[in-house]
Amino acid sequence: MPLRGELREPGDLYYLDLEELQSLLRTGKADRPKIERRRVEYRRFARLTPPRLMFSDGEVPEPDRRDGLPAGALTGLGVSVGIVEGRARVVRSLGEVIMEKGDILVTAFTDPSRTPVFVSISGLVTEVGGMMTHGAVITREYGLPAVVGVADATRLIHDGDRIRLDGEMGFVQILLN
């Protein structure tokens, strides 16, 4: 069955379920409106920001406010103790990772594919995470300070900012923009 023109972009097949893909291979026809509708939905969902924390019943608790923190501090969960100051390297995708010794990695989350970067960094800030997430475990293993669950960290901290992070108290402070 010729499929020419049915899949207009290489990623079109990702918008089909298994049954639809099998039908496409059998008939040579794809439901173009369905593919386009799903592409639009995917783009809409990709722009959503998940809450920092959500309980199993769907409740999204308000972030805790702590006394004694520096003015303007961004709060999170300190998961690996230590205090470090350095240049923020805001990374939104793995392809962007260009770190220099001593940089502080600021990202939405980490996963095992980013582990080699931890050799160069001096600290970690993530938007999501908890005590047992990848970044928290690896920073403890490497002895690096880390704060996770910092809401909007990749938006509020700019690449190149000088920041201080306190992995015990659980906050990040922007020192110089």
Side-chain angles (χ1 to χ4, degrees):
M1 248 350 96
L3 299 176
R4 224 175 263 288
E6 291 300 309
L7 299 178
R8 295 184 185 139
E9 295 180 32
D12 281 356
L13 67 100
Y14 295 116
Y15 299 106
L16 301 173
D17 63 28
L18 182 58
E19 189 175 295
E20 292 163 341
L21 187 55
Q22 289 170 336
S23 174
L24 170 65
L25 294 173
R26 259 190 331 274
T27 66
K29 297 289 181 193
D31 186 344
R32 292 298 317 157
K34 185 180 280 187
I35 290 171
E36 292 307 317
R37 187 172 54 255
R38 288 177 178 167
R39 181 187 318 280
V40 168
E41 288 174 352
Y42 176 82
R43 287 182 183 143
R44 183 173 51 90
F45 288 129
R47 286 191 305 267
L48 297 176
T49 302
R52 195 177 123 192
L53 177 65
M54 180 184 287
F55 296 129
S56 60
D57 65 358
E59 178 189 354
V60 177
E62 288 294 317
D64 61 333
R65 305 287 179 226
R66 289 177 247 156
D67 295 328
L69 297 183
L74 307 174
T75 61
L77 176 64
V79 294
S80 187
V81 298
I83 298 172
V84 67
E85 287 185 20
R87 179 178 65 165
R89 295 306 306 210
V90 179
V91 175
R92 291 181 179 82
S93 73
L94 192 56
E96 295 178 23
V97 179
I98 300 173
M99 306 295 291
E100 293 181 16
K101 194 88 174 141
D103 285 345
I104 298 172
L105 175 59
V106 179
T107 188
F109 63 91
T110 65
D111 59 48
S113 68
R114 293 187 180 183
T115 302
V117 175
F118 285 71
V119 177
S120 300
I121 64 174
S122 63
L124 173 70
V125 177
T126 65
E127 293 179 339
V128 297
M131 288 301 282
M132 295 307 294
T133 54
H134 176 264
V137 172
I138 298 299
T139 53
R140 287 193 297 272
E141 287 180 2
Y142 282 46
L144 302 171
V147 180
V148 301
V150 179
D152 297 319
T154 61
R155 186 177 58 80
L156 298 172
I157 300 170
H158 301 104
D159 194 54
D161 283 355
R162 182 152 187 85
I163 63 172
R164 174 184 299 131
L165 76 89
D166 186 321
E168 185 172 347
M169 295 291 293
F171 72 87
V172 179
Q173 191 177 12
I174 301 170
L175 304 173
L176 282 173
N177 293 66

